[in-house]
Each structure stands twice: as structure tokens, then as C-alpha cells.
């Protein structure tokens, strides 16, 4: 049932967001810095942090309201904040048949909308999410354990950037062919052949987003908005420990869709009881034609192998490497690496795990530094960064789940090898229940098989390996093999030697990983910027796609031609 | 070993082909008629047909020369022309290890070339193929059975169009990101963050082209040139009955690559002994990252299910439908359909199989025509078109293989149902050994289960069904279901009723097939034009991709970023 007069006509949304869309299209082509979403918390107004906190607190301990959403039986939900708080939110629960039935019923009207109309609706959704960035920050913080500042930026404006980027790509790809064209073929002296041709971008069907625990919005928005902007309905299946940020997203999308005259059931939430393995059931449903997934390699591989009726976009585990050869800013290098290892307790898919350091040491502006010195200096840099508990908590955030905590404990117990830096328990004055650990730095030797077995497996969380290698050449080769065999979301290197740089670039092009060179300032290997940096490459086992390029969106719709 | 001074510097090729590339890029955006390759045989000069024939004849009965190509043991080949001629050509044969080893060794230099350089080399390959279109026409004619005129056009300039189209898309997609960008992020009162970023399009690896019997060049060139232009090596595995057109293509590509200073083994030929099932072996090799395939559903499904290390682009079988509702040009409609059914003996993946005609008849400019009348008139139109043996042979070509001949014979024997038009044996004065059959038109009833079972299975070749349906609405629904369940490369319809047109368009958008409406002149439902029409949609079971759109090329390479 289409509303005769929508509360928010699409024409108005088109006018409201045309400039942002145009600028996003220019940005993805130019790749310079750009964002329409302010990343400074203060940009949202004096009272915004408190308002956001109040809005978040009003959600706690009650049923989450999703008007018109399929539901049946008792609400589900058991989120616990890594900062110690029980969220106590119950989300509407519905069986797959009810959810997919509602989505299928909702799809036709959205499929008939033009790519520009769909983009405008998506941009309105993002604008409303943006306006509530402080509320989202609370939700992200208390599901992922990210510190507030990071939850705000990465979970708010930076995630919104990635969503808008996907919308821009979706719009661009759907409009590469003209909506209609005339075709006139000369026939010598006879009348030319003349035809009119119409090209329509047709969605695949229903998309399934399988959310992750650590970055529900940042890793969720690219797939969600790419699928939605190409005309598909989206069923959002959050990680059971990180439902709220995506539930708020679903609610916002449904509000905008309904106001604009579309069926809000185009975007539904598949909240699940603990241990229900709902994703496995949904992923195999014939209605599901697209799947976006971030998480473990095991389930990502399972999706790729089994959900054959769908196109599957996965980001899985990897082993990220940094090569240390030489630097003209030793202090800058150490501080940059210390921050990279510490940020969000190393719980980023982009955090370096293995730091490859020649046994013979590295060259710096002050002369040679031995492997032992570099490791000790790096440990000291981490200790310096995290020496104050309040500052440490603001960088580290909290440990997201028991698996990560177990790895930190295992490192502390020496299970991964000799410790260059032991993890430390950090107390939070604000959140006494928070679980906070500093990173462990483990010494390893590339030529010892037992060490290799440990550092070549993903060790997600606050554990890094300082790996002694025979030479820089051996380090480059180890970077290449690690990436090609185990996957990587990032690679980093420090060198002042042009020949080494060339070898590093060749290795990264060959192994299929993007490379950050000589980061010593305010940019970190584990961060990528929307509209400029690609996140992942799709060219190594860690992911089969990237945020965001044409390949990420171009197959989410097909083009049907009518000629006469 | 790179030649110090290539015979044909890439810079020269860039200059030579820049204008063609620019115009191709404009054409795929505008979708009006355009081609750089003349489709009239006379455009190639007075002596070109005879020269092409002589060149073809010089190839017969000897070993096919591919300088520097991996080989070992006896040459292989057993092609027999559907026109009765034994080709007697022996192609170099090598084991998969030798072929893939040569390809892997050849890849690095090509991967380092820029997208523009690769496009220029591909355009030179196409230009040389174009200059020899009459030779290719002979090769296509005597492997596929296409009549000379069609072999020339579809196997020559039209195939070259599709190849160039793929090159243009490949170039466009690889250059959507800048080669390098600077990124400057303001930091309030502090110095801005500044980085330089380089983006490199990196190929997947080796591509495998599995060629088909009926259109070795037309269906082969999109995948071949899409993969090559995105930096991959290509291993060409022709259909054992249609090796020569692709062998000539491989030879031309190798010549240009070598002259331009690249390793000619970037493009290799996997000719195989009869019954060797080489495609199955090659498709599972870890080096093979891309596969393009045209052929049976059985092997296409096998590739999709088993070649999991590769991206698989398939065009398989389908059941194409035409709906007859009403027309204001009855004669034009009949003649158009008669030609569509007859062209190349119905051996096109785009030939209509099922003509759905309301039991109550159709409306024409001269009043109603009953189902029986329409069927009889269509049969008469086919007989009129093909009454003269010489003209019939020029339209029909020859039967490509024993399977098709068996279906024609089965139709003649009444196995598919009552005949409205029996197939006729056509004699060729020029080729007494040619196997030529006119189409059979079989009557069927959509409401009889036995009839449905027959016309809903693909019946590739010169057999069409005139299916009586309850109403136009029932016809539209049958078009939708046939396409969604069995796949279709084309759909056609005749109607003067806007409501029926709307229902047809809705059904085609829903089922995922492109629609040709009211074709009564010199354009046929089974033909698509490069740079304007999409061939297939990738939205129904007949194919998972289309010629040509961004999705066809965008995932054949990945982008690696280096930032510092």
C-alpha cells in the first residue's frame, strides 16, 4: 500500500541531498580528503554528548521499538557491555519465513524507484544517523568495547563515510548506461534502422548482512548501503553481542523509508536468541541473493562454500605484517607503531600482528639499532603511551569478548613465547567493571619452526610478535608469503632505501595487499579513510572484496534492456 | 627476456589506437550505433574475399604454426567442416603443466604495463584480426557451419566489436581510480596531514577461455579481451570442433605481443586430442583465476560448482520465448519471425524456441487471426523465405554437429508433436557434402503436460514450438516462468496494446531477460549490437553475466594501494 502523499516526498530528498551525492562522486574519483560528516564530537553541539548518552540510556532495560516489524514470541537479546553494563534490551524476534516474507513483499516498490531516488533515501538515512552520532557512539562503545572517542569516530562519521561511499558507487554504476537511448544504424541508400532502447537496473533480491562484534556499523554500512542503493531489500543479522548499533540503523532506515512512501520492511532486523546460529539458516534461503559478512575465516569460508545461490562478499581473518628496515625518524616510527598496536587493544582486522625486524638491526638517523634495542624501545614506547590509566583506557577501550581475553592471558603466561612486554591490567575509574588490557609484545624468531607456527596464525587481539628475521630481504619475502598464504588486511613498512621500497611494493602488488610506508605521524596503518583509501583488496585470502570499488557494487544489480 | 627495442613500441600503438579507444568509451556510454569495423564484405577490398579464401586454404592439411608456443608430442586436431571438408589441421599440443608454466612466466611484464598500454596492444590485435576478416570468415564458416555472409559478419566485425567493447570497459574500470593522488586532511590549527597514494590495477592471474562450437569468436572475444586488457594471461581452450578461429586469434595476439616487447606466451592455445576433457583439468588448476565459458548447462554448472578458485563467467542453455498478442504489421511480424527461426538453422543461443499464441488468436491490422491461421501463415513465411535452395543455404548455413541433426530428425519424425512445418533437406550446389535443414515448426498446447515437458526443455537447433495458450495474460505468465526457471538469452513480443506492453516489461524485469518489442524490419530478436545492446543479463539461469557491462570486467583485476 503506497501512501498517496508521502510525508517526505522523494523529490524533496533528491533536492536535499543532490549536492552531497555530487561531491561524493567527485571524491571517489579524486581520492583527496573529503567527508560531509564532521569527525569532531564538538561539531554536534554543546549538549550533543549528554543528549546522546541520555538517548542511549533510555534504550536500556526495555523492548526495542521497531514499529511494523515482523515479530512473534518473546523479544530476544543478551548484550553485555565490555564496560560491565547489562544492556537488557529485548529486540523483536521473528522466524525466517516471516522476515523473508515481509522483505519479499516490500521489494517491488523500491525496485521501481530510480537509482537517484534510492540514493536520496539512503543519504537521508545517513544524515539522520549522523545527527545522532553521539547516541550511536554510546551504542558502539557498549557493544564493542571501543573507547568513546573511537566509538564516536569509527562507529559514527567514519562508518557513515563508508556508507555514503557505497551509495555513491552504487549510483555511479547504475547510471553508466543511459536510462534510454536511440539507435540509428545507416543502411546505405535505404532508410536507416532506428530503435529506442531502455535500460533498467534491476536488483538481485534480498541481501543479508551478517554483522560483526567489533565494528558493527563501520564494517556493516558498506554492504548494507551498497545493497539498498542498488534496489535490494536488506535483512540485517547483527552479531548477538553487538545488536544495538545495527538495530538503531535499521530503525532509522525504516523511518525514512516509511516517510518517503516505501515499505519499511525493506530493511528488517534478524535478532536471534543466544546460540541460535540464525545466519546459517538465513544464508541458505533461496530469497537471499547477496551476503555481506565480516568475521571469522571459518564461517566466511562456510558461506562461500554453501550459500551458492548468493553472491558472497567476505572479510575474514588475516595476519598483518610490518617490515622494519630503516627510518629517518626512529622516535616517530616507534610512537606510530605503539599507537597502532594499542588502539582498541589490537582488536582491529587492520592491526599489525607481526613486526619483522632484521636480526642485525635497523638503520636510523642516529645509527644502527639492534633487534634487541628496537624491541626494547618499542616496548618502552607502548609503556609510555599507556602509562597513565585514564589515557590508556581512552586508547585501548575494553576487551570485546572472552576469546580475546583468553589470548591476552595466554600471552601473559608466556604461551606465545618470551615476552618483551607483558600485558597489564588497566583500571577504569569511570567503568570499574571494564576489562582492559595493554598489548603483549612477544619475541619470536622467523627461523624457529615453533615460533613460525605461532606468529603465522591469526592471534586476534592485544598480542603482537617482534619477529627476528635474517635480513630485510627475508622480511620482504616473509611479508609476501604470510599475505599470500594467510591473508592480510594491511601491510606496513619503514625504509629509507629506494631499492627496499621497490622490493616491498613489488611484494605487496604480488601478494595483493595495500602498503603503508613510513608512517610516523598522525596516520596509522590500521586506519583507512573513506573516499580515499581502499579497505582490503580482495586479492588475498583475508577478503574477497574491498571497501569500496566498482566491483563491490556492480554485480548487486543487473541491467535489463527493452528495445523496440 | 624483454627486447631492448621492440619492433612495435607501445607508444606507437597508443598513438595509433587512442581515437578508437576514445570513441569506444563514448559509444558504451551513449549506446547509439557505432562500430570501427566495417560489416560489409566489400569494404575490405575487391580481392579480399579471394585472398581470405586462399589464406584459409593454405592452412588446411598441415601443422598450424605458433612460433615459440609450448608443444610436445604429436599435433592434435580433427576438425571437419559442416560443409563436408576435412580441415586436417594439426595444432601444437602441450600438457597443462607446460602451458600454465609458460603463462605464469609470461605474466609479470604484462602486469606491469599500464591499462592504456594493455588497451593499445589489444586494439592492435583486433585491428589485425579485422584486416583478415575474410580469412576468419572462412575459418568460422568451416567450423561452425554458419553461411559465409554470417560467418563474415558475426565471426568477424561483430565479434571484433564485442572484443573492443570489453577492452573499453576494462580500460574504463581500471582507470576509475587515479594512478596517484595526494591527500590533505586539515587538522585545525596544526599542520594538515598529507599523504601521497598510488593505486595500481593488479590482474588476478591466468584466465581460461573455454570456447564454444557455434560462435568461437563472437562468444570468445568478450572474455578473452576483458581478461587480457585487465592484465591477465589467457589460456584459450577451443571447442574441439571449432579450433581454427581461435587458433588464428591466438596467433595474431602472440604476434602483436611479441612485436610490442611482451612475452607471446601470455596467450596460449590448449588444443586437445578428441575426447580429452582438457577443460575439466585446466579449470581446476590453482593458477586459473578466471574462467569464461559458453556451452551446455551441464558443464557450466560443473564449472561453477567445482572451479572454486576462479571467478566463473558462464553462458549456458535457455529457452527463449516470443509472445504474440497483436500487431499492426502482420506480414512484417511473420517475415521477421521466419528469419529469426531460420538464421543459422536456429543454432543461436538467442533463437526463439517457443512462440506463445493465444488459442483465441491475435489481432492484426486486417482483423483477427486464429491460432491455426497464425501458425499456418508463419509456416508459409518460412517456406517462402527458404523456398530457393541457394537462398536457403545462405540463411541456414549448415548443421553444426550430430546432436543438432538428431533433433531435426526427431522433429521430422513427429517426436516433439504435430508438425506445422516439416524440416526439409536443402542441397548446396557449392558444397555437396553440406548438411542443411530448414526449421521444424511443432504445434503444442500449454495446457497439455506432455507438450509442456517438451517445449520447456531446451531444444537447441532448427526446432520451434507454436504454443497455444489460454490468453495473452497466460502467455506473459508463461514467459515469466519459463525464463525464471529455465533461463533465456532473449525474449520477444508483439503487441499494440499498451497494457499488454506494460505487463510484458514487468514480467521481463522480474524474470531478468531483455525484451525486443514489435520487431518487423531488419532487426531480429536473436541479434544484439555491440556498444548498444547487452547480450544476456546475468539475471536468469541462462547466464551469470552479460556482454558487456562493468560487472563483466570489474572483478578481473584488484586495486592495490601504496600510501606514504
Amino acid at each position: 500500500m503506497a501512501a498517496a502523499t508521502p510525508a517526505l516526498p522523494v523529490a524533496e530528498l533528491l533536492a536535499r541531498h543532490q549536492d552531497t551525492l555530487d561531491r561524493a562522486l567527485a571524491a571517489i574519483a579524486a581520492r583527496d580528503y573529503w567527508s560531509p560528516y564532521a569527525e569532531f564530537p564538538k561539531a554536534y553541539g554543546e549538549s550533543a554528548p549528554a543528549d546522546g548518552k541520555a538517548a542511549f540510556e533510555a534504550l536500556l532495560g526495555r523492548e526495542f521499538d521497531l514499529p511494523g516489524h515482523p515479530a512473534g514470541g518473546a523479544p530476544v537479546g543478551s548484550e553485555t557491555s565490555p564496560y560491565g553494563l547489562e544492556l537488557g534490551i529485548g529486540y523483536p524476534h521473528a522466524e525466517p519465513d516471516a522476515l523473508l516474507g515481509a522483505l519479499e513483499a516490500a521489494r517491488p516498490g523500491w525496485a521501481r524507484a530510480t537509482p537517484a531516488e534510492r540514493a536520496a533515501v539512503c543519504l537521508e538515512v545517513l544524515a539522520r544517523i549522523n545527527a545522532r552520532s553521539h547516541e550511536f557512539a554510546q551504542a558502539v562503545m557498549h557493544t564493542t568495547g571501543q573507547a568513546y572517542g573511537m566509538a564516536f569516530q569509527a562507529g559514527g562519521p567514519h562508518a557513515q563515510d563508508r556508507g555514503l561511499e557505497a551509495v555513491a558507487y552504487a549510483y555511479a554504476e547504475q547510471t553508466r548506461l543511459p536510462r534510454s537511448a536511440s539507435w540509428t544504424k545507416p543502411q546505405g541508400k535505404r532508410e536507416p534502422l532506428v530503435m529506442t532502447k531502455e535500460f533498467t537496473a534491476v536488483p538481485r533480491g534480498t541481501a543479508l548482512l551478517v554483522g560483526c562484534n567489533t565494528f558493527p556499523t563501520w564494517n556493516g554500512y558498506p554492504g548494507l548501503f551498497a545493497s539498498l542503493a542498488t534496489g535490494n531489500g536488506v535483512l540485517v543479522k547483527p552479531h548477538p553481542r553487538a545488536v544495538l548499533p545495527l538495530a538503531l540503523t535499521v530503525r532509522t532506515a525504516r523511518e525514512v523509508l516509511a516517510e518517503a512512501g516505501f515499505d519499511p520492511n525493506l530493511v528488517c532486523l534478524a535478532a536471534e536468541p543466544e546460540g541460535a546460529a540464525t545466519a546459517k539458516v538465513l544464508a541458505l534461503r533461496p530469497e537471499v541473493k547477496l551476503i555481506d559478512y565480516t568475521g571469522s575465516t571459518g564461517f566466511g569460508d562456510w558461506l562461500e562454500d554453501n550459500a551458492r545461490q548468493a553472491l558472497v562478499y567476505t572479510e575474514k581473518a588475516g595476519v598483518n605484517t610490518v617490515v622494519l628496515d630503516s627510518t629517518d625518524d626512529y622516535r616517530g616510527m616507534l610512537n606510530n607503531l605503539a599507537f597502532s598496536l594499542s588502539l582498541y587493544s589490537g582488536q582491529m582486522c587492520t592491526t599489525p600482528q607481526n613486526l619483522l625486524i632484521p636480526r642485525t638491526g635497523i638503520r636510523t638517523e642516529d645509527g644502527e639499532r639492534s633487534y634487541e634495542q628496537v624491541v626494547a624501545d618499542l616496548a618502552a614506547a607502548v609503556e609510555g603511551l599507556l602509562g597513565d590509566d585514564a589515557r590508556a583506557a581512552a586508547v585501548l577501550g575494553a576487551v570485546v569478548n572472552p576469546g580475546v581475553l583468553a589470548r591476552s592471558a595466554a600471552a601473559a603466561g608466556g604461551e606465545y613465547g618470551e615476552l618483551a612486554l607483558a600485558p597489564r591490567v588497566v583500571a577504569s575509574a569511570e567503568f570499574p567493571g571494564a576489562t582492559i588490557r595493554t598489548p603483549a609484545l612477544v619475541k619470536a624468531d622467523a627461523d624457529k619452526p615453533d615460533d613460525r607456527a605461532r606468529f603465522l596464525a591469526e592471534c586476534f587481539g592485544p598480542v603482537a610478535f617482534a619477529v627476528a628475521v635474517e635480513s630485510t630481504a627475508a622480511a620482504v619475502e616473509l611479508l609476501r608469503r604470510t599475505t599470500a598464504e594467510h591473508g592480510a588486511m594491511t601491510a606496513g613498512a619503514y625504509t629509507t632505501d629506494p631499492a627496499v621500497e621497490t622490493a616491498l611494493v613489488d611484494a605487496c602488488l604480488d601478494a595483493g595487499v595495500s602498503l603503508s610506508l613510513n608512517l610516523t605521524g598522525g596516520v596509522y596503518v590500521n586506519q583507512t579513510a573513506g573516499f580515499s583509501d581502499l579497505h582490503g583488496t580482495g586479492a588475498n585470502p583475508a577478503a574477497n572484496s574491498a571497501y569500496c570499488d566498482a566491483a563491490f557494487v556492480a554485480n548487486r544489480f543487473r541491467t535489463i534492456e527493452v528495445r523496440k
Side-chain angles (χ1 to χ4, degrees), chain A:
Chain A
M1 187 176 63
T5 313
L8 186 56
V10 175
E12 188 178 322
L13 291 179
L14 282 164
R16 191 181 293 177
H17 298 296
Q18 186 66 52
D19 181 58
T20 304
L21 179 60
D22 289 343
R23 293 176 69 188
L25 290 165
I28 58 174
R31 299 267 149 190
D32 196 354
Y33 172 77
W34 180 76
S35 171
Y37 308 123
E39 69 176 8
F40 295 104
K42 289 181 181 168
Y44 294 79
E46 201 64 38
S47 69
D51 294 348
K53 188 154 188 263
F56 167 71
E57 285 169 351
L59 296 166
L60 303 178
R62 52 195 301 174
E63 292 185 20
F64 190 86
D65 194 26
L66 279 179
H69 192 280
V76 296
S78 55
E79 290 159 293
T80 303
S81 168
Y83 291 93
L85 188 68
E86 289 287 334
L87 270 57
I89 305 173
Y91 300 95
H93 175 249
E95 293 300 322
D97 280 346
L99 291 167
L100 289 164
L103 272 152
E104 289 299 307
R107 292 207 301 109
W110 187 240
R112 275 194 299 272
T114 67
E117 290 168 348
R118 292 195 287 250
V121 169
C122 288
L123 264 63
E124 177 67 16
V125 175
L126 284 164
R128 292 194 193 182
I129 289 171
N130 176 252
R132 294 165 64 180
S133 289
H134 280 283
E135 181 183 352
F136 274 84
Q138 294 284 348
V140 169
M141 177 182 181
H142 286 292
T143 50
T144 70
Q146 291 174 30
Y148 187 77
M150 180 175 178
F152 178 85
Q153 286 198 336
H158 293 176
Q160 297 149 21
D161 283 342
R162 287 291 182 194
L164 173 55
E165 183 183 61
V167 173
Y169 267 103
Y171 175 81
E173 291 307 316
Q174 289 174 95
T175 54
R176 295 234 181 273
L177 292 188
R179 182 72 184 88
S180 69
S182 71
W183 180 83
T184 305
K185 182 174 178 179
Q187 296 291 293
K189 292 171 188 165
R190 285 175 293 152
E191 285 292 297
L193 296 173
V194 178
M195 301 191 80
T196 61
K197 306 184 177 189
E198 299 210 329
F199 300 94
T200 305
V202 171
R204 289 270 182 190
T206 290
L208 174 67
L209 170 67
V210 182
C212 71
N213 194 174
T214 48
F215 290 91
T217 57
W218 199 95
N219 276 85
Y221 284 4
L224 191 164
F225 284 98
S227 288
L228 194 59
T230 47
N232 303 281
V234 183
L235 180 54
V236 177
K237 207 301 288 175
H239 191 284
R241 293 175 164 271
V243 181
L244 184 58
L246 289 177
L248 288 169
T249 304
V250 167
R251 183 153 83 187
T252 309
R254 293 171 60 87
E255 281 169 6
V256 174
L257 286 164
E259 288 176 37
F262 297 100
D263 188 330
N265 282 333
L266 265 171
V267 180
C268 285
L269 184 74
E272 63 188 325
E274 189 89 44
T278 304
K280 274 203 172 187
V281 175
L282 295 174
L284 300 183
R285 289 285 300 227
E287 300 93 335
V288 171
K289 303 294 189 191
L290 299 163
I291 299 176
D292 286 273
Y293 169 75
T294 306
S296 72
T297 296
F299 191 57
D301 288 347
W302 184 90
L303 285 171
E304 291 174 16
D305 288 344
N306 291 281
R308 304 304 310 283
Q309 85 292 353
L311 297 176
V312 180
Y313 302 84
T314 54
E315 183 184 316
K316 301 175 288 192
V319 176
N320 303 319
T321 301
V322 176
V323 171
L324 279 64
D325 168 71
S326 51
T327 179
D328 55 15
D329 181 3
Y330 186 62
R331 180 56 42 199
M333 179 187 84
L334 294 174
N335 288 342
N336 189 282
L337 285 173
F339 190 83
S340 279
L341 298 178
S342 303
L343 182 61
Y344 187 28
S345 313
Q347 299 170 127
M348 302 175 73
C349 58
T350 52
T351 304
Q353 175 176 311
N354 296 337
L355 313 177
L356 310 187
I357 306 165
R359 218 183 298 284
T360 52
I362 72 168
R363 294 178 306 286
T364 78
E365 70 274 27
D366 294 326
E368 300 271 328
R369 282 287 188 286
S370 70
Y371 166 82
E372 294 292 345
Q373 281 175 310
V374 173
V375 173
D377 291 345
L378 180 60
V382 173
E383 285 184 311
L385 174 68
L386 306 176
D388 171 69
D389 272 4
R391 176 164 179 201
V395 172
L396 294 165
V399 172
V400 64
N401 63 40
V404 173
L405 187 61
R407 282 187 288 277
S408 175
E415 288 184 33
Y416 295 117
E418 183 190 345
L419 284 169
L421 179 66
R424 181 172 77 81
V425 174
V426 176
S428 166
E430 191 181 356
F431 298 103
T435 305
I436 308 178
R437 299 290 181 275
T438 64
L441 187 60
V442 179
K443 292 169 75 171
D445 189 316
D447 295 333
K448 292 184 178 165
D450 286 358
D451 287 13
R452 280 182 85 92
R454 283 193 287 262
F455 71 73
L456 288 178
E458 189 196 41
C459 188
F460 186 78
V463 181
F465 294 87
V467 181
V469 291
E470 187 57 34
S471 62
T472 293
V476 173
E477 185 52 30
L478 185 52
L479 161 64
R480 182 203 306 265
R481 287 196 52 187
T482 302
T483 302
E485 292 172 11
H486 305 278
M489 294 303 294
T490 58
Y494 293 86
T495 184
T496 57
D497 183 335
V500 171
E501 181 176 324
T502 299
L504 284 160
V505 170
D506 282 351
C508 288
L509 293 180
D510 184 48
V513 66
S514 289
L515 174 66
S516 295
L517 269 169
N518 298 325
L519 300 184
T520 54
V523 175
Y524 303 93
V525 64
N526 27 351
Q527 295 177 322
T528 62
F531 309 105
S532 183
D533 295 317
L534 294 166
H535 171 74
T537 65
N540 72 58
N544 73 5
S545 52
Y547 307 155
C548 191
D549 60 10
F552 189 67
V553 300
N555 219 357
R556 292 178 193 253
F557 68 95
R558 302 302 307 161
T559 303
I560 311 296
E561 176 182 348
V562 176
R563 60 179 186 175
K564 48 188 172 180

